[in-house]
Amino acid sequence: MNPVAELVTSFQELVAQVPEIVRPFVVMLAGVIPFVEGEGAAIIGVVGGLSPVVAAVAAAAGNFLSVLLVVLGGSRARSAAVSRREARVGARAGAVPAPSVGGLQVPETERTMSDGEPHAMGARPESKGRRRLRSLLVRFGVPGASLLGPLVIPTQFTAAVLVASGVPRRWVLLWQAAAIVVWTTVATVSVWLALQVVAG
């Protein structure tokens, strides 16, 4: 038996100690974790001996559940922030409405840096992953940013950035669901095929 097959067998023996009915829920919980997400959870499930279909469905469901919570929470937070800002602006005499870019309002605290990138005054600079995601959003729109976003940052972070940018939550959820299904399916099929070849 080759070392990979031994490792897989040992992992499956460990998983076998968990009741069979609980295993999909463990995979679902793994899918909730950023950086593990649907892809990683599906791989864990398939290597652990679950049916690829069960592993993929459980992993995708967990990943989507976490994205749903992020989108609903982020949407409420953004609505509250916009309402507070509008109340402050409305209270000032002769206030100028906030500028908009592509139909999305730019917060009053944002200023344009010399390189043309928006930068919130007094805030930390954006991470490289978030800058790449914003670039994807500008180039490919919400569908492209959602489908390519997992290559840059976790889906939960992608969803949070999209909602904070003012994208309607239904649109975010639709394309995040599509991205989760695509990437979880790719990961599940890939690991299943790899196990057939390597571990037999």
Side-chain angles (χ1 to χ4, degrees), residues 1-13 198-199:
M1 185 180 285
N2 64 53
V4 174
E6 286 180 19
L7 187 63
V8 169
T9 303
S10 300
F11 184 65
Q12 288 178 350
E13 288 171 0
V198 177

Side-chain angles (χ1 to χ4, degrees), residues 51-132:
S51 153
V53 174
V54 172
V57 170
N63 197 178
F64 184 75
L65 178 62
S66 66
V67 167
L68 176 65
L69 294 175
V70 167
V71 168
L72 294 178
S75 179
R76 285 185 183 172
R78 186 180 190 283
S79 296
V82 168
S83 297
R84 278 196 307 270
R85 185 176 63 240
E86 286 174 353
R88 275 198 317 265
V89 169
R92 289 190 219 144
V96 178
S100 66
V101 176
L104 305 176
Q105 285 201 336
V106 177
E108 188 182 347
T109 55
E110 288 194 354
R111 299 290 181 263
T112 302
M113 297 173 66
S114 58
D115 61 359
E117 289 293 318
H119 175 65
M121 292 177 64
R124 296 184 319 200
E126 276 190 324
S127 70
K128 189 182 292 184
R130 286 190 180 219
R131 283 198 306 272
R132 286 183 184 163

